[in-house]
Amino acid sequence: MSQHKQERAVRTRERLLRAAAEVFDTTGYAGASISRILERAGLTAGAMYFHFKSKEDLARAVILEQAADLDFPETESGLQQLLDMTGYLAVELKTNTLLRAGVRLAVEQNEVGLQEYSIYEWWIDRFRQELVQAREKGQLHPFVDEADFARVVVGAFTGTQIMSQVSSDRANLPELIAAMWRCLLPALAPADVVETLVIPAGGTAGTG
Amino acid sequence: MSQHKQERAVRTRERLLRAAAEVFDTTGYAGASISRILERAGLTAGAMYFHFKSKEDLARAVILEQAADLDFPETESGLQQLLDMTGYLAVELKTNTLLRAGVRLAVEQNEVGLQEYSIYEWWIDRFRQELVQAREKGQLHPFVDEADFARVVVGAFTGTQIMSQVSSDRANLPELIAAMWRCLLPALAPADVVETLVIPAGGTAGTG
């Protein structure tokens, strides 16, 4: 392919991915139709089949690329960074279409007929890295298993965002994530470390 | 209604609920059809409309009555009871059709067009009661907020069961819930209390 054709192919794929995310975010998987996605992207079926063979293919791409539009705040590494990342995600889930659709489809992927665990592994590893930094900074209790705890954070965040969506269309998500951290932090770090942290949307992290 | 007719109505509703749970568990909401549910129940549409007006009505009932077939182990009240309940749920999710379907639909209810937060509130309150017992027994750290922590446990369990379903069709769920508790318990109770607890599928709870 020429340079020009390659660039055009990348842009076409991008338009399809974003149009699919918009439709999945609004209507869910079952309610989404390829014709509506194509209409939204302003493209023909021929242009699509070069990149995606089916609605399922589009859903898989939206799941796997859910984090593509994120721009994580870079503060201090370690526990503060982990708090800031999850606080940022809680806010982004209100407006970031690719993230919203990707998280929704990841949770409902049983319905789609997919088994894409790799996106969960990606998040676990992302959070684990911050816990490893926290360990190196001497922030963690000696008994904390960084990989196990990172998986618990992904699980707790995933379940909490579902509960927030059902109860308030995600309006209370930042507040619920702040409450989650007030509960979890004492399992990660001693009180004198916890007191130095700031929980986004939750004030200071001291336990009293 | 006569006594006899009332009993028959209760049995009919029961058969519909269980047939719906079986079909939703296997095919999900979008894939389920009323005709398949009626066929499974051995009933006619006329018999159904007295109890449920639509597929959505059936889904709501399966969500709200997901715990109807559970028989929680009664051990010691407090933290051990909470561990035993979640360990029992992790095993039941492999075979208890009403629970499986109810949990699946609760997670995917966005897709169904429902907003039934009350089932999450029910679980939060169930777990909160055990934390209140734990408080009365002197098991908890002074700073633990029972209601907030109960919500975190429901969120973490919900997210963990999704991850287990996607990664292993729930085969590793008891083990993941055990790992979850090894991470969470130090946030709830001092080490000398944690050491007295037994985590189902996870050996003793000491943090080493």
Side-chain angles (χ1 to χ4, degrees):
Chain A
M1 237 191 280
S2 72
Q3 175 82 13
H4 176 73
K5 274 192 179 165
Q6 269 181 21
E7 282 167 12
R8 199 173 56 190
V10 167
R11 279 200 310 274
T12 300
R13 187 181 184 285
E14 190 75 358
R15 271 162 71 185
L16 285 162
L17 183 74
R18 267 149 225 292
E22 283 172 30
V23 175
F24 288 136
D25 178 39
T26 317
T27 67
Y29 184 75
S33 71
I34 287 187
S35 61
R36 186 147 169 212
I37 293 168
L38 289 174
E39 191 189 2
R40 187 122 210 159
L43 291 165
T44 63
M48 174 183 142
Y49 289 115
F50 178 75
H51 300 283
F52 303 103
K53 299 284 170 262
S54 60
K55 188 166 86 162
E56 190 184 305
D57 258 10
L58 278 163
R60 185 184 288 109
V62 170
I63 290 173
L64 295 177
E65 294 169 53
Q66 61 180 254
D69 288 342
L70 295 174
D71 184 17
F72 284 118
E74 289 285 338
T75 46
E76 289 172 76
S77 64
L79 288 180
Q80 188 62 55
Q81 175 69 18
L82 185 54
L83 296 178
D84 292 342
M85 283 171 70
T86 53
Y88 169 75
L89 285 171
V91 173
E92 282 292 295
L93 271 164
K94 295 187 184 185
T95 54
N96 183 320
T97 306
L98 194 50
L99 181 67
R100 289 166 62 92
V103 166
R104 176 175 181 168
L105 291 172
V107 162
E108 297 175 0
Q109 58 180 288
N110 206 0
E111 186 81 20
V112 186
L114 291 174
Q115 282 212 301
E116 280 298 341
Y117 188 60
S118 61
I119 185 64
Y120 289 103
E121 282 174 322
W122 186 85
W123 283 113
I124 292 167
D125 193 60
R126 196 71 190 72
F127 292 166
R128 190 191 57 79
Q129 286 170 34
E130 296 306 328
L131 290 175
V132 168
Q133 293 281 320
R135 168 74 69 210
E136 282 168 14
K137 292 176 88 170
Q139 294 182 309
L140 301 186
H141 288 306
F143 53 76
V144 171
D145 181 307
E146 293 90 336
D148 277 354
F149 213 106
R151 193 176 52 228
V152 169
V153 173
V154 174
F157 190 97
T158 300
T160 301
Q161 77 84 21
I162 292 169
M163 290 159 70
S164 169
Q165 181 169 33
V166 174
S167 64
S168 76
D169 201 17
R170 294 200 183 108
N172 65 2
L173 185 55
E175 182 193 319
L176 291 186
I177 295 301
M180 175 190 93
W181 279 120
R182 275 195 299 274
C183 292
L184 294 184
L185 282 173
L188 279 171
D192 62 319
V193 173
V194 172
E195 273 161 26
T196 66
L197 303 170
V198 178
I199 301 182
T204 53
T207 48
Chain B
M1 233 190 282
S2 73
Q3 175 83 13
H4 176 70
K5 274 192 178 164
Q6 269 182 20
E7 281 168 12
R8 200 173 55 190
V10 167
R11 280 200 308 274
T12 301
R13 187 181 184 285
E14 192 75 357
R15 270 162 73 184
L16 284 162
L17 184 74
R18 268 148 223 293
E22 283 173 30
V23 175
F24 287 136
D25 179 38
T26 317
T27 67
Y29 184 76
S33 71
I34 287 186
S35 60
R36 187 146 169 213
I37 293 169
L38 289 174
E39 190 189 3
R40 187 124 209 155
L43 292 165
T44 63
M48 173 182 144
Y49 289 116
F50 178 75
H51 299 282
F52 303 102
K53 301 283 168 261
S54 60
K55 189 166 84 162
E56 190 183 304
D57 258 10
L58 279 163
R60 185 183 288 109
V62 170
I63 290 174
L64 295 178
E65 294 170 51
Q66 61 180 254
D69 288 343
L70 294 175
D71 184 17
F72 284 118
E74 290 284 338
T75 47
E76 290 172 76
S77 63
L79 288 179
Q80 188 61 55
Q81 175 70 15
L82 185 56
L83 295 179
D84 292 343
M85 284 171 70
T86 53
Y88 169 75
L89 286 172
V91 173
E92 282 292 295
L93 271 164
K94 295 186 185 187
T95 54
N96 183 320
T97 306
L98 194 51
L99 181 67
R100 290 166 62 91
V103 166
R104 176 174 181 169
L105 291 172
V107 162
E108 297 175 359
Q109 58 180 286
N110 206 359
E111 186 81 21
V112 186
L114 291 174
Q115 281 212 301
E116 280 298 342
Y117 188 60
S118 61
I119 185 63
Y120 289 104
E121 281 175 323
W122 186 85
W123 283 113
I124 292 168
D125 193 61
R126 196 71 190 73
F127 292 166
R128 189 190 58 78
Q129 287 169 35
E130 296 307 327
L131 289 175
V132 168
Q133 295 280 320
R135 166 76 68 210
E136 282 168 14
K137 291 177 88 169
Q139 295 183 309
L140 302 186
H141 288 305
F143 53 77
V144 172
D145 181 307
E146 294 91 335
D148 277 354
F149 214 106
R151 193 176 54 227
V152 169
V153 173
V154 173
F157 191 96
T158 300
T160 300
Q161 79 83 20
I162 292 170
M163 289 159 70
S164 170
Q165 183 170 32
V166 174
S167 65
S168 76
D169 201 18
R170 295 201 182 108
N172 66 3
L173 185 55
E175 180 192 320
L176 291 186
I177 295 301
M180 177 190 91
W181 279 120
R182 276 195 299 275
C183 292
L184 295 185
L185 282 173
L188 279 171
D192 61 320
V193 173
V194 172
E195 273 160 26
T196 66
L197 302 169
V198 178
I199 301 182
T204 52
T207 47

